[in-house]
Amino acid sequence: MSEEQSKHQTNEEQKLISAEIVVSKVLRIGVLVSGLVILIGLILYLVAGESGYPADTYPTTLRGIIEGAGGLKPAAVILLGLFLLILTPVLRVGITILVFVKAKDYLYVGITSLVFVILIISLLLGKAG
């Protein structure tokens, strides 16, 4: 292996490592934020002693969750935290697409984009079901 090839490979490895660090930070921040939101919802629930909704009801749409969380209804705040937790790996896949585009690895851009589309479709189908 020539020195030029070795230098090029080292640069590619450094780019890959820095991209993995970015993805790792996104995952950590997503989990921490969602955990914090869930914790706030639990504290609100313990302080209020109720979910903020009539018995056995809770918001089932994203709009309902956001409106309820804006009104500091404990159940809606907890659901918002869970929704953020679900979105974290989806965001990770989206960022990975950008990393592969930057690395000009178009095979993995296609594969990761397909995974991203499948995730979005499954989220939409879950809403309908």
Side-chain angles (χ1 to χ4, degrees):
M1 181 180 292
S2 70
E3 187 175 321
E4 183 70 27
Q5 287 176 329
S6 177
K7 188 182 273 184
H8 178 70
Q9 189 174 15
T10 303
N11 283 340
E12 291 297 321
E13 288 174 1
Q14 287 177 346
K15 286 181 183 177
L16 187 61
I17 289 171
S18 66
E20 288 179 9
I21 289 172
V22 168
V23 169
S24 171
K25 285 181 180 177
V26 167
L27 286 174
R28 277 189 224 149
I29 291 170
V31 169
L32 288 175
V33 168
S34 63
L36 181 65
V37 171
I38 292 171
L39 181 64
I40 290 170
L42 288 173
I43 290 171
L44 287 172
Y45 183 78
L46 291 173
V47 169
E50 62 181 39
S51 68
Y53 293 95
D56 296 334
T57 60
Y58 53 89
T60 56
T61 62
L62 182 59
R63 184 177 184 173
I65 291 171
I66 292 173
E67 287 175 358
L72 293 179
K73 294 182 176 184
V77 174
I78 292 170
L79 288 172
L80 179 63
L82 292 173
F83 184 71
L84 291 174
L85 189 62
I86 291 169
L87 280 185
T88 300
V90 176
L91 181 62
R92 186 239 191 267
V93 173
I95 290 173
T96 303
I97 293 171
L98 297 177
V99 169
F100 286 135
V101 166
K102 188 175 179 182
K104 298 180 181 175
D105 194 344
Y106 297 113
L107 174 64
Y108 285 104
V109 168
I111 292 169
T112 311
S113 297
L114 179 64
V115 170
F116 189 73
V117 168
I118 291 170
L119 284 171
I120 297 298
I121 289 172
S122 68
L123 282 174
L124 295 175
L125 289 176
K127 178 186 174 196

